[in-house]
């Protein structure tokens, strides 16, 4: 699997996004009513517009994990929960940020972010799902929109101005903090109280969603209790406990609500364990030694039938450090036993490409597509294999369709730009990279790329017309983005 370098990170966004208004009152045995109080001032369409803007800035400022396999896993898990949630009014998009800190946050437009550090602390898929279910409830309850409406009542500014201040904070932290302080009348204690109330509301709704989706509802209080115990006597709390306060009352409340549902004993999720090993090997910020030490410690505790997922993680570490013989010793038996396992296919393809066995990698992926023709993971990996093999036209053919189907995936545009560069098609390379820049809200650079591409295209050609039309679209998008601020 190919990987791209991540941008620098900062932790301010999740703290800002987790402040919210009090929950609607309810008794202990009844879930709160759905939060729709913000609908009169901040429409769902407007929330989606802000969500798109925030996501573009996050791509440029946060180390968003672009791993297709991990993205596919998190999206699948998240949408399984969304299918069982109530009050869903917007599409959801789940993504991972490479950060060892335990944290998660949700924002406008159904966007939910998970820190990769959660995989190191969640001991089961149900525990990870409990975090996602909690964040989904923040979105369905419209906590952020309701907070903005509440702030607007105590401020001379409108909801739009307050939301714009939050966008400024994401885009330019120093200026944004000043804007937030200048436009928000609520004091710090009030923010803490609001957060605690909303956290309980998200817990209660999240537990219901968790149970309906077939996960263990008791996983949420179990995860809370372990976190609370682990950090009880420390002065430095993880980001999740700073942005999602965890007082004893909240732990007790979640435990009481979970008792309304039977304990579900689920077998260990192979996909979760494989995703966890992949994070340890590639997305936890560990060195080779640290990754292997972590995996070896887990191997000592693992049941015999759960060692394969950890050996998969070790194989990835060996691949990434050019220790191909050790990688083969671990990976070959795994893929022989489960030839259709997407995680193993991906790793075996990595091994093929690193050893310059290009045709073997291509054949492996083409054969895998016969059983899974709609897999976006296989499509993007096959395009990359063709690119590595020097078969640029085949790569471009796949990527043109892939970017049409997945216009927000930075992987597709980056590979397309690289493929065109290898062919010497500078205009198409500039245009493809321009789309990548636009996904990061770098509007001026994106427009400049397209202007250069248009100048290179044949006068009066269809290519030049497409580039000119895209310049107009990008200018309009830039204008809308600036208006939001």
């Amino acid at each position: 699997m190919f990987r791209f370098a991540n941008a620098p990170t900062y932790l301010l966004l999740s703290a800002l996004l987790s402040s919210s208004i009090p929950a609607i009152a309810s008794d202990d045995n009844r879930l709160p009513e759905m939060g729709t109080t913000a609908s009169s001032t901040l429409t769902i369409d407007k929330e989606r517009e802000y969500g798109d803007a925030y996501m573009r800035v996050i791509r440029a400022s946060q180390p968003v994990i672009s791993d297709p396999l991990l993205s596919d896993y998190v999206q699948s898990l998240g949408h399984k929960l969304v299918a069982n949630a109530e009050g869903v009014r917007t599409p959801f998009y789940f993504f991972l940020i490479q950060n060892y800190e335990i944290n998660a946050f949700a924002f406008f437009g159904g966007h939910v972010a998970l820190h990769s550090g959660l995989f190191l602390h969640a001991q089961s898929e149900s525990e990870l799902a409990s975090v996602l279910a909690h964040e989904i409830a923040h979105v369905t309850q419209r906590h952020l929109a309701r907070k903005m409406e509440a702030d607007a009542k105590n401020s001379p500014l409108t909801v739009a101005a307050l939301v714009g201040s939050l966008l400024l904070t994401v885009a330019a932290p120093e200026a944004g903090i000043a804007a937030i302080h200048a436009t928000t009348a609520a004091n710090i204690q009030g923010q803490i109280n609001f957060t605690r109330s909303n956290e309980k509301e998200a817990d209660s709704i999240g537990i219901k969603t968790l149970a309906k989706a077939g996960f263990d509802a008791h996983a949420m209080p179990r995860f809370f209790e372990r976190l609370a115990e682990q950090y009880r006597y420390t002065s430095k709390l993880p980001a999740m406990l700073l942005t999602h306060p965890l007082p004893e009352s909240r732990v007790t409340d979640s435990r009481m609500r979970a008792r309304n549902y039977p304990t579900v004993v689920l077998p260990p999720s192979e996909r979760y364990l494989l995703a966890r090993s992949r994070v340890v090997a590639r997305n936890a910020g560990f060195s080779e030694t640290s990754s292997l030490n972590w995996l070896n410690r887990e191997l000592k505790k693992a049941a015999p039938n759960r060692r394969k997922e950890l050996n998969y993680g070790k194989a990835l570490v060996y691949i990434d450090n050019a220790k191909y013989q050790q990688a083969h010793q671990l990976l070959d038996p795994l893929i022989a036993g489960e030839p259709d396992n997407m995680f193993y296919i991906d790793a075996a393809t990595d091994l093929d490409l690193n050893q310059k066995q290009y045709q073997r990698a291509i054949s492996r992926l083409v054969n895998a597509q016969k059983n899974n023709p709609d897999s976006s993971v296989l499509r993007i990996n096959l395009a990359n294999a063709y690119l590595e093999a020097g078969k640029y036209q085949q790569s471009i053919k796949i990527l043109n369709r892939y970017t049409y189907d997945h216009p927000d995936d930075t992987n597709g545009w980056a590979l397309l730009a690289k493929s065109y560069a290898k062919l010497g098609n500078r205009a198409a390379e500039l245009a493809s990279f321009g789309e990548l820049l636009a996904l990061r809200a770098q509007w001026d650079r994106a427009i400049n790329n397209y202007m250069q591409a248009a100048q290179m295209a044949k006068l009066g050609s269809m290519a030049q017309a497409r580039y000119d039309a895209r310049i107009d679209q990008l200018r309009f998008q830039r204008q809308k983005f600036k208006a939001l601020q």
Side-chain angles (χ1 to χ4, degrees):
M1 200 284 299
F2 53 92
R3 284 170 289 159
F4 298 101
N6 289 316
T9 185
Y10 54 83
L11 298 176
L12 178 62
L13 178 64
S14 57
L16 288 167
L17 294 184
S18 59
S19 300
S20 19
I21 69 168
I24 301 171
S26 62
D27 59 51
D28 289 339
N29 297 316
R30 184 168 54 89
L31 290 173
E33 296 176 8
M34 287 302 185
T36 57
T37 59
S39 59
S40 60
T41 55
L42 192 57
T43 65
I44 294 293
D45 286 344
K46 201 66 178 177
E47 284 192 41
R48 292 176 66 177
E49 191 175 334
Y50 279 119
D52 175 73
Y54 290 178
M55 191 66 225
R56 290 177 191 270
V57 175
I58 285 174
R59 290 191 192 102
S61 61
Q62 298 272 335
V64 175
I65 293 174
S66 59
D67 184 315
L69 260 179
L70 290 178
S71 297
D72 180 71
Y73 171 72
V74 171
Q75 289 276 29
S76 297
L77 181 61
H79 284 109
K80 181 178 180 180
L81 292 161
V82 169
N84 290 277
E86 297 176 357
V88 176
R89 302 175 182 84
T90 182
F92 272 79
Y93 175 70
F94 302 89
F95 64 100
L96 284 167
I97 291 176
Q98 183 167 314
N99 194 313
Y100 188 80
E101 287 278 338
I102 311 168
N103 204 10
F105 58 90
F107 59 97
F108 291 130
H111 292 82
V112 178
L114 293 176
H115 281 194
S116 56
L118 278 166
F119 280 87
L120 306 182
H121 292 83
Q123 294 182 356
S124 68
E125 188 171 54
S126 285
E127 289 191 5
L128 182 66
S130 74
V131 177
L132 280 170
H134 173 97
E135 298 302 331
I136 290 168
H138 277 313
V139 175
T140 59
Q141 291 295 98
R142 306 190 71 193
H143 283 160
L144 187 53
R146 291 161 62 194
K147 184 218 181 300
M148 293 299 172
E149 184 178 68
D151 283 351
K153 292 177 180 178
N154 297 312
S155 166
L157 298 183
T158 63
V159 169
L162 289 168
V163 179
S165 294
L166 183 55
L167 179 57
L168 273 176
T169 306
V170 180
E174 293 180 3
I177 289 173
I180 288 288
H181 286 176
T183 58
T184 304
N187 59 33
I188 293 175
Q189 185 59 51
Q191 295 282 0
I192 293 173
N193 289 339
F194 289 161
T195 301
R196 287 175 178 171
S197 184
N198 260 341
E199 291 307 301
K200 284 190 177 182
E201 186 174 44
D203 291 344
S204 62
I205 295 171
I207 285 173
K208 181 179 181 181
T209 300
L210 199 64
K212 286 182 65 179
F215 294 101
D216 183 10
H218 297 262
M220 184 181 288
R222 188 163 58 243
F223 187 50
F224 286 169
E225 288 166 4
R226 196 168 63 254
L227 283 183
E229 182 61 30
Q230 183 176 349
Y231 293 98
R232 187 180 304 278
Y233 301 110
T234 184
S235 58
K236 185 180 180 181
L237 295 174
M240 187 167 185
L241 298 189
L242 290 174
T243 59
H244 300 71
L246 195 58
E248 182 60 34
S249 61
R250 183 179 164 206
V251 176
T252 301
D253 184 74
S254 66
R255 190 187 304 120
M256 294 294 292
R257 289 191 182 279
R259 288 177 182 172
N260 293 322
Y261 304 93
T263 299
V264 179
V265 180
L266 299 170
S269 164
E270 181 183 30
R271 288 194 77 206
Y272 168 71
L273 294 173
L274 288 168
R276 191 186 198 202
S277 289
R278 192 175 183 89
V279 166
V280 170
R282 290 181 166 172
N283 299 106
F286 290 167
S287 65
E288 175 189 358
T289 300
S290 296
S291 294
L292 289 175
N293 286 343
W294 193 97
L295 292 162
N296 284 327
R297 283 196 302 270
E298 292 296 308
L299 272 167
K300 291 178 181 178
K301 300 182 292 183
N305 65 336
R306 293 275 67 93
R307 291 175 184 165
K308 58 182 181 178
E309 294 90 357
L310 296 162
N311 283 328
Y312 160 77
K314 290 180 67 175
L316 292 181
V317 176
Y318 289 138
I319 291 169
D320 294 343
N321 288 279
K323 297 180 179 179
Y324 304 134
Q325 184 177 352
Q326 293 97 315
H328 272 296
Q329 289 173 350
L330 292 172
L331 188 58
D332 290 352
L334 296 176
I335 198 161
E338 296 183 53
D340 296 327
N341 186 306
M342 197 75 70
F343 284 86
Y344 299 157
I345 292 170
D346 179 276
T349 303
D350 284 353
L351 193 49
D352 293 337
L353 295 178
N354 276 277
Q355 295 184 290
K356 303 187 186 306
Q357 298 289 334
Y358 302 121
Q359 191 53 51
R360 187 165 66 187
I362 291 168
S363 298
R364 187 189 303 279
L365 292 166
V366 169
N367 288 333
Q369 281 189 321
K370 294 175 183 177
N371 295 326
N372 201 345
D374 298 324
S375 169
S376 60
V377 174
L378 291 176
R379 287 171 67 193
I380 196 73
N381 275 287
L382 181 57
N384 182 63
Y386 279 130
L387 172 59
E388 292 293 320
K391 299 182 178 182
Y392 308 127
Q393 292 288 6
Q394 291 97 319
S395 178
I396 288 168
K397 181 179 179 180
I398 294 173
L399 290 168
N400 276 328
R401 182 65 192 181
Y402 183 87
T403 52
Y404 179 84
D405 293 336
H406 306 278
D408 294 338
D409 186 350
T410 56
N411 289 322
W413 294 113
L415 286 178
L416 191 57
K418 189 175 179 180
S419 297
Y420 277 125
K422 291 291 186 179
L423 273 182
N425 188 337
R426 178 62 175 161
E429 177 195 355
L430 284 166
S432 300
F433 197 70
E435 294 299 327
L436 190 61
L437 293 167
L439 287 173
R440 295 170 177 164
Q442 296 170 332
W443 303 108
D444 292 343
R445 291 181 61 194
I447 291 168
N448 185 59
N449 267 38
Y450 266 99
M451 290 177 68
Q452 291 183 60
Q455 290 169 0
M456 293 177 182
K458 183 179 179 180
L459 186 65
S461 66
M462 287 293 296
Q464 187 183 59
R466 287 197 304 270
Y467 296 152
D468 287 340
R470 187 60 178 141
I471 290 169
D472 291 339
Q473 292 173 339
L474 289 170
R475 283 173 172 163
F476 178 71
Q477 287 180 283
R478 179 180 62 181
Q479 183 180 357
K480 286 182 64 178
F481 182 86
K482 289 183 176 180
L484 294 177
Q485 297 176 310

